[in-house]
Amino acid sequence: MTRLRADNPQGARQALAERFRAWSGSEFDLSRCPVRGVLDRLGDKWTTLIVIALSQRPHRFSEVCRAVPDISKRMLTQTLRDLERDGLIARRVFPTKPPTVEYRLTELGESLLEPLVTLIAWAEGSQTRIAAARSAFDAASAAA
Amino acid sequence: MTRLRADNPQGARQALAERFRAWSGSEFDLSRCPVRGVLDRLGDKWTTLIVIALSQRPHRFSEVCRAVPDISKRMLTQTLRDLERDGLIARRVFPTKPPTVEYRLTELGESLLEPLVTLIAWAEGSQTRIAAARSAFDAASAAA
DNA sequence: AGACCAGGTCTTGATTGTAGACCATCGAAA
DNA sequence: TTTCGATGGTCTACAATCAAGACCTGGTCT
């Protein structure tokens, strides 16, 4: 199987063509689509911020709470659980008097940092163009 | 400003550290975080599949409908609009007898393919490990 | 006329995300 | 000794979002 490559735009298109054919073959089983699962997780508003925070060093529960502003404890707990379930972070409990719980990225979690940085780089490089497109679109919509 | 680099795991961590400090500086304005906007869009279940479909060639509305299984017309319309608003795809109407509408990636949309392929490659390479982690986690949860 | 297609919009539930209150334990302070 | 705050959560209720399917506006074919 050919490896996915993203050396250049053409390569990206061809790599996608290949994946696309593979997925469309037979009958596109959604459960076999790994992108869906990953993007669902990454897209859920807090995951990325938590991963970024943990990429710096292990955090305790309340450290993450402070590092990620506006997140509720409810959502923090749930997001950490999901991340732990997927093997991206590890949870360790120390039996201190006020219990200490530490969360850290696993090796798998660290391997996610590279694609994530690629995406962040794109986002930062494209944000002005996206903002411009939005303004133009909204202006055109308002006119009509 | 230093460019984000992802040549290696250390680089990824350092690049994130840099971004993280930049964002945390002053008071972390969420609207200034471009990643959030991008991931919200990518994470919304259909966007990625549509972008992948359009990466192969321009599609008509009903072609996309057939290419992306199980999407309702409602969601397809909405997702295409959002994508168009962000300047990632372009919509062109041809005044044929039954009107023909074509959707294609813009240059900006094509530039998204590279980070997307990077992410897909990670997802494909990691899916077995993620599945294993999930099984282990669920087994441990069931035991408790 | 009746049936069909394109390219949508609208209405109406079901699913999911989120906030904020609440809980149990411990140590320190008053 | 009562109260306070911190830690690491859970529970409940509400709101936004998703999705299905009916409906609409042309136009063409038969």
Side-chain angles (χ1 to χ4, degrees):
Chain A
M1 157 178 153
T2 311
R3 294 273 286 282
L4 288 175
R5 301 180 62 79
D7 304 298
N8 56 67
Q10 271 308 319
R13 195 200 316 280
Q14 287 172 11
L16 278 175
E18 196 177 303
R19 288 307 94 202
F20 194 58
R21 276 192 297 273
W23 297 335
S24 299
S26 63
E27 46 186 83
F28 199 82
D29 181 1
L30 284 182
S31 64
R32 280 187 53 242
C33 174
V35 190
R36 178 66 63 90
V38 170
L39 287 175
D40 278 0
R41 186 131 324 297
L42 258 51
D44 78 351
K45 188 167 190 177
W46 301 115
T47 297
T48 309
L49 293 174
I50 291 175
V51 168
I52 289 173
L54 293 185
S55 75
Q56 304 308 298
R57 57 179 167 75
H59 280 60
R60 300 181 56 177
F61 183 89
S62 45
E63 282 179 314
V64 184
C65 220
R66 285 185 290 269
V68 181
D70 300 330
I71 191 173
S72 66
K73 286 192 283 189
R74 169 82 160 80
M75 287 314 297
L76 181 53
T77 301
Q78 182 180 308
T79 308
L80 288 171
R81 284 271 184 287
D82 289 343
L83 247 18
E84 187 193 359
R85 187 170 110 94
D86 285 353
L88 298 176
I89 67 175
R91 179 180 188 269
R92 283 205 303 169
V93 183
F94 300 94
T96 51
K97 335 308 168 42
T100 300
V101 181
E102 179 196 86
Y103 297 91
R104 61 165 66 231
L105 290 184
T106 61
E107 196 191 329
L108 184 59
E110 300 223 339
S111 75
L112 173 59
L113 295 181
E114 292 178 52
L116 197 53
V117 167
T118 306
L119 206 59
I120 291 173
W122 182 86
E124 294 213 318
S126 305
Q127 61 177 324
T128 60
R129 287 215 277 171
I130 290 176
R134 279 189 191 168
S135 303
F137 185 92
D138 293 346
S141 302
Chain B
M1 157 178 155
T2 310
R3 294 274 285 281
L4 289 175
R5 302 182 60 79
D7 303 298
N8 56 67
Q10 272 308 319
R13 194 198 316 281
Q14 287 173 10
L16 278 175
E18 194 178 302
R19 286 310 92 198
F20 196 57
R21 275 193 298 275
W23 297 334
S24 300
S26 63
E27 47 186 83
F28 198 82
D29 180 0
L30 284 181
S31 64
R32 280 188 53 244
C33 174
V35 190
R36 179 65 64 89
V38 170
L39 287 175
D40 277 359
R41 187 132 322 296
L42 259 50
D44 77 351
K45 189 167 191 179
W46 301 114
T47 297
T48 310
L49 293 174
I50 291 174
V51 168
I52 289 174
L54 293 186
S55 74
Q56 304 309 299
R57 56 182 167 75
H59 280 61
R60 300 180 55 177
F61 182 88
S62 45
E63 283 179 315
V64 185
C65 220
R66 284 185 290 268
V68 180
D70 300 331
I71 191 174
S72 66
K73 286 192 286 188
R74 169 80 160 79
M75 289 312 297
L76 180 53
T77 301
Q78 183 181 307
T79 308
L80 287 171
R81 284 270 184 286
D82 289 344
L83 248 18
E84 187 193 359
R85 189 171 107 96
D86 286 353
L88 298 177
I89 67 176
R91 179 179 188 270
R92 283 205 304 167
V93 182
F94 301 95
T96 52
K97 337 306 170 43
T100 300
V101 181
E102 180 196 85
Y103 297 91
R104 62 166 66 231
L105 291 183
T106 61
E107 197 191 330
L108 183 59
E110 299 224 340
S111 75
L112 172 60
L113 295 180
E114 292 179 50
L116 196 54
V117 166
T118 306
L119 205 59
I120 290 173
W122 181 87
E124 293 215 318
S126 305
Q127 63 176 324
T128 61
R129 287 215 276 172
I130 291 176
R134 280 190 192 169
S135 302
F137 185 91
D138 292 347
S141 302

Short mmCIF file of all heavy atoms in Angstrom, two decimals, chain B residues 100-124:
data_model
loop_
_atom_site.label_atom_id
_atom_site.label_comp_id
_atom_site.label_asym_id
_atom_site.label_seq_id
_atom_site.Cartn_x
_atom_site.Cartn_y
_atom_site.Cartn_z
N THR B 100 -28.09 24.00 -13.45
CA THR B 100 -26.95 23.21 -13.04
C THR B 100 -26.12 24.03 -12.06
O THR B 100 -25.81 25.19 -12.34
CB THR B 100 -26.08 22.86 -14.26
OG1 THR B 100 -26.87 22.11 -15.18
CG2 THR B 100 -24.88 22.05 -13.84
N VAL B 101 -25.78 23.44 -10.94
CA VAL B 101 -24.95 24.13 -9.96
C VAL B 101 -23.70 23.31 -9.70
O VAL B 101 -23.79 22.11 -9.44
CB VAL B 101 -25.72 24.34 -8.64
CG1 VAL B 101 -24.86 25.07 -7.64
CG2 VAL B 101 -27.00 25.10 -8.89
N GLU B 102 -22.58 23.97 -9.83
CA GLU B 102 -21.33 23.25 -9.67
C GLU B 102 -20.58 23.77 -8.44
O GLU B 102 -20.51 24.97 -8.22
CB GLU B 102 -20.47 23.47 -10.92
CG GLU B 102 -19.14 22.79 -10.87
CD GLU B 102 -18.20 23.36 -11.92
OE1 GLU B 102 -17.54 24.38 -11.65
OE2 GLU B 102 -18.16 22.78 -13.02
N TYR B 103 -20.05 22.87 -7.68
CA TYR B 103 -19.23 23.23 -6.54
C TYR B 103 -17.81 22.74 -6.77
O TYR B 103 -17.59 21.60 -7.20
CB TYR B 103 -19.79 22.57 -5.27
CG TYR B 103 -21.17 23.03 -4.89
CD1 TYR B 103 -22.30 22.38 -5.35
CD2 TYR B 103 -21.34 24.15 -4.09
CE1 TYR B 103 -23.57 22.82 -5.02
CE2 TYR B 103 -22.61 24.60 -3.75
CZ TYR B 103 -23.72 23.93 -4.22
OH TYR B 103 -24.97 24.38 -3.89
N ARG B 104 -16.86 23.61 -6.50
CA ARG B 104 -15.47 23.21 -6.65
C ARG B 104 -14.63 23.84 -5.54
O ARG B 104 -15.01 24.86 -4.97
CB ARG B 104 -14.93 23.64 -8.01
CG ARG B 104 -14.94 25.17 -8.22
CD ARG B 104 -14.09 25.55 -9.41
NE ARG B 104 -14.63 25.05 -10.66
CZ ARG B 104 -13.89 24.35 -11.55
NH1 ARG B 104 -12.61 24.12 -11.30
NH2 ARG B 104 -14.44 23.94 -12.67
N LEU B 105 -13.49 23.24 -5.26
CA LEU B 105 -12.60 23.82 -4.26
C LEU B 105 -11.98 25.09 -4.81
O LEU B 105 -11.63 25.16 -5.98
CB LEU B 105 -11.49 22.84 -3.90
CG LEU B 105 -11.86 21.59 -3.12
CD1 LEU B 105 -10.60 20.79 -2.79
CD2 LEU B 105 -12.59 21.94 -1.84
N THR B 106 -11.84 26.07 -3.96
CA THR B 106 -11.05 27.25 -4.33
C THR B 106 -9.58 26.93 -4.07
O THR B 106 -9.23 25.86 -3.58
CB THR B 106 -11.44 28.44 -3.46
OG1 THR B 106 -11.17 28.10 -2.10
CG2 THR B 106 -12.92 28.77 -3.59
N GLU B 107 -8.76 27.89 -4.37
CA GLU B 107 -7.33 27.71 -4.09
C GLU B 107 -7.13 27.52 -2.58
O GLU B 107 -6.35 26.67 -2.14
CB GLU B 107 -6.57 28.94 -4.58
CG GLU B 107 -5.08 28.74 -4.71
CD GLU B 107 -4.37 30.06 -4.94
OE1 GLU B 107 -4.98 30.97 -5.55
OE2 GLU B 107 -3.22 30.18 -4.50
N LEU B 108 -7.86 28.31 -1.82
CA LEU B 108 -7.76 28.18 -0.37
C LEU B 108 -8.21 26.79 0.07
O LEU B 108 -7.57 26.15 0.91
CB LEU B 108 -8.65 29.26 0.29
CG LEU B 108 -8.64 29.33 1.82
CD1 LEU B 108 -7.23 29.59 2.33
CD2 LEU B 108 -9.58 30.43 2.30
N GLY B 109 -9.28 26.32 -0.52
CA GLY B 109 -9.75 24.99 -0.20
C GLY B 109 -8.73 23.92 -0.54
O GLY B 109 -8.52 22.96 0.21
N GLU B 110 -8.06 24.10 -1.66
CA GLU B 110 -7.05 23.11 -2.05
C GLU B 110 -5.88 23.12 -1.07
O GLU B 110 -5.28 22.08 -0.79
CB GLU B 110 -6.54 23.40 -3.46
CG GLU B 110 -7.63 23.33 -4.50
CD GLU B 110 -7.19 22.58 -5.75
OE1 GLU B 110 -5.98 22.46 -5.97
OE2 GLU B 110 -8.08 22.11 -6.49
N SER B 111 -5.58 24.29 -0.54
CA SER B 111 -4.45 24.37 0.38
C SER B 111 -4.75 23.63 1.67
O SER B 111 -3.85 23.28 2.44
CB SER B 111 -4.10 25.83 0.68
OG SER B 111 -5.05 26.41 1.55
N LEU B 112 -6.03 23.40 1.93
CA LEU B 112 -6.40 22.65 3.12
C LEU B 112 -6.10 21.16 2.96
O LEU B 112 -5.94 20.44 3.94
CB LEU B 112 -7.88 22.85 3.43
CG LEU B 112 -8.51 22.01 4.54
CD1 LEU B 112 -7.81 22.26 5.87
CD2 LEU B 112 -9.99 22.31 4.66
N LEU B 113 -5.99 20.72 1.72
CA LEU B 113 -5.80 19.28 1.49
C LEU B 113 -4.53 18.75 2.15
O LEU B 113 -4.52 17.64 2.68
CB LEU B 113 -5.76 18.98 -0.01
CG LEU B 113 -7.07 19.27 -0.77
CD1 LEU B 113 -6.90 18.94 -2.24
CD2 LEU B 113 -8.21 18.48 -0.17
N GLU B 114 -3.49 19.56 2.13
CA GLU B 114 -2.24 19.04 2.68
C GLU B 114 -2.33 18.75 4.17
O GLU B 114 -2.03 17.63 4.60
CB GLU B 114 -1.09 20.00 2.35
CG GLU B 114 -0.80 20.01 0.87
CD GLU B 114 0.32 20.98 0.50
OE1 GLU B 114 1.38 20.93 1.14
OE2 GLU B 114 0.09 21.80 -0.39
N PRO B 115 -2.74 19.72 4.99
CA PRO B 115 -2.89 19.36 6.40
C PRO B 115 -3.90 18.25 6.61
O PRO B 115 -3.73 17.41 7.51
CB PRO B 115 -3.37 20.66 7.06
CG PRO B 115 -3.55 21.65 5.99
CD PRO B 115 -2.92 21.16 4.77
N LEU B 116 -4.90 18.21 5.78
CA LEU B 116 -5.92 17.19 5.91
C LEU B 116 -5.33 15.80 5.66
O LEU B 116 -5.60 14.84 6.40
CB LEU B 116 -7.05 17.47 4.93
CG LEU B 116 -8.37 16.75 5.16
CD1 LEU B 116 -8.86 16.99 6.57
CD2 LEU B 116 -9.41 17.24 4.16
N VAL B 117 -4.51 15.71 4.64
CA VAL B 117 -3.88 14.43 4.34
C VAL B 117 -2.96 14.01 5.48
O VAL B 117 -2.90 12.83 5.85
CB VAL B 117 -3.10 14.51 3.01
CG1 VAL B 117 -2.19 13.31 2.86
CG2 VAL B 117 -4.07 14.57 1.86
N THR B 118 -2.28 14.98 6.06
CA THR B 118 -1.42 14.66 7.20
C THR B 118 -2.23 14.04 8.32
O THR B 118 -1.85 13.04 8.93
CB THR B 118 -0.74 15.94 7.71
OG1 THR B 118 -0.08 16.57 6.63
CG2 THR B 118 0.25 15.62 8.81
N LEU B 119 -3.39 14.63 8.55
CA LEU B 119 -4.24 14.14 9.62
C LEU B 119 -4.81 12.76 9.28
O LEU B 119 -4.87 11.86 10.14
CB LEU B 119 -5.39 15.13 9.84
CG LEU B 119 -6.01 15.13 11.23
CD1 LEU B 119 -4.96 15.44 12.26
CD2 LEU B 119 -7.14 16.13 11.28
N ILE B 120 -5.19 12.58 8.04
CA ILE B 120 -5.73 11.29 7.62
C ILE B 120 -4.67 10.21 7.76
O ILE B 120 -4.94 9.10 8.22
CB ILE B 120 -6.25 11.38 6.17
CG1 ILE B 120 -7.51 12.24 6.12
CG2 ILE B 120 -6.54 10.00 5.61
CD1 ILE B 120 -8.00 12.53 4.71
N ALA B 121 -3.46 10.56 7.37
CA ALA B 121 -2.38 9.59 7.49
C ALA B 121 -2.20 9.19 8.95
O ALA B 121 -2.05 8.00 9.27
CB ALA B 121 -1.08 10.18 6.94
N TRP B 122 -2.24 10.16 9.84
CA TRP B 122 -2.11 9.83 11.26
C TRP B 122 -3.26 8.94 11.70
O TRP B 122 -3.08 7.96 12.40
CB TRP B 122 -2.08 11.11 12.10
CG TRP B 122 -1.92 10.82 13.56
CD1 TRP B 122 -0.73 10.65 14.23
CD2 TRP B 122 -2.97 10.63 14.51
NE1 TRP B 122 -1.00 10.37 15.54
CE2 TRP B 122 -2.34 10.35 15.75
CE3 TRP B 122 -4.35 10.67 14.45
CZ2 TRP B 122 -3.07 10.11 16.92
CZ3 TRP B 122 -5.09 10.43 15.60
CH2 TRP B 122 -4.44 10.15 16.82
N ALA B 123 -4.46 9.30 11.27
CA ALA B 123 -5.64 8.55 11.69
C ALA B 123 -5.55 7.10 11.21
O ALA B 123 -5.83 6.17 11.96
CB ALA B 123 -6.90 9.22 11.14
N GLU B 124 -5.15 6.93 9.97
CA GLU B 124 -5.06 5.57 9.44
C GLU B 124 -3.97 4.78 10.17
O GLU B 124 -4.14 3.61 10.46
CB GLU B 124 -4.76 5.61 7.95
CG GLU B 124 -5.89 6.20 7.14
CD GLU B 124 -6.01 5.53 5.78
OE1 GLU B 124 -4.98 5.28 5.14
OE2 GLU B 124 -7.17 5.26 5.38
#
